[in-house]
Amino acid sequence: MAQEIMNLPVAALKPHPRNDEFFSNIEGEDFNRLKESISELGILTPLRVAADMTIVSGHQRYRAAKELGLELVPVIVDHTLRSDDGMIAQLIAANFGRMKNDPIKQAKWIAEYERVRGVRVGRPSEKLRNNFVISQEDIARELGVDVRTLQNLKKLNSLIPE
């Protein structure tokens, strides 16, 4: 199925409820540059949304569009995203590496990404390995980091909150 870009009302879109848990908003001069770019050139990369209009990719463009008072934004509706886990996996994968992020938030979304992708603790047996069990190595490859970096970030999840 070909993806169709359409212009939809900003008011019809809704941020993913867990986006702020995993990603920090861009602020200050970086956000001002984004708004200037959108003012001059428009939104060049369409937002990606699920069928229920939940944003999976494009939260910063959405924020900028709202602040600029835009009524319509270019959107790709992904009708394959039906489950919350599917949306979370796409939210994380689409935003990985795009922006600087708080290491604590990175640790949270890596753990969540592993959960929705089905990573299990421990080494899979040969029998399971042949049945396409996903490993930390697979996750690291998908996210474009080495396994050590992935493991170090995940350790932050066990810190005492203070």
Side-chain angles (χ1 to χ4, degrees):
M1 173 195 322
Q3 294 186 342
E4 182 182 349
I5 299 172
M6 57 187 98
N7 288 313
L8 294 177
V10 173
L13 306 177
K14 57 185 176 186
H16 191 283
R18 296 188 68 193
N19 186 67
D20 290 342
E21 178 183 341
F22 300 128
F23 300 102
S24 301
N25 285 328
I26 58 175
E27 301 292 343
E29 190 56 36
D30 289 337
F31 190 60
N32 288 334
R33 276 196 298 274
L34 175 63
K35 289 193 310 186
E36 285 174 24
S37 172
I38 290 172
S39 289
E40 293 173 16
L41 305 171
I43 295 177
L44 300 176
T45 304
L47 285 72
R48 189 159 169 242
V49 301
D52 70 353
M53 297 299 125
T54 299
I55 301 169
V56 218
S57 176
H59 287 83
Q60 302 308 308
R61 286 166 277 158
Y62 167 78
R63 279 182 55 228
K66 279 181 69 171
E67 284 195 21
L68 291 168
L70 300 181
E71 291 185 22
L72 298 173
V73 292
V75 170
I76 295 173
V77 179
D78 187 338
H79 293 283
T80 65
L81 294 174
R82 290 189 170 90
S83 73
D84 193 48
D85 281 353
M87 280 192 259
I88 289 171
Q90 289 299 316
L91 172 78
I92 291 169
N95 289 292
F96 184 80
R98 277 201 174 169
M99 55 179 43
K100 297 175 190 170
N101 214 346
D102 176 322
I104 299 295
K105 286 189 176 190
Q106 283 181 322
K108 281 183 182 179
W109 58 251
I110 286 171
E112 187 67 4
Y113 189 70
E114 284 187 343
R115 183 191 70 75
V116 300
R117 292 287 287 124
V119 171
R120 301 288 182 255
V121 176
R123 294 215 175 273
S125 68
E126 270 311 306
K127 180 181 176 201
L128 289 176
R129 200 181 313 264
N130 293 331
N131 288 327
F132 305 106
V133 169
I134 191 163
S135 68
Q136 284 193 3
E137 290 81 9
D138 298 324
I139 294 294
R141 194 172 28 262
E142 286 176 12
L143 297 177
V145 297
D146 60 69
V147 175
R148 168 79 74 207
T149 299
L150 186 76
Q151 291 170 340
N152 286 339
L153 283 168
K154 286 174 33 179
K155 286 179 186 176
L156 296 174
N157 285 320
S158 60
L159 292 176
I160 297 170
E162 296 80 37

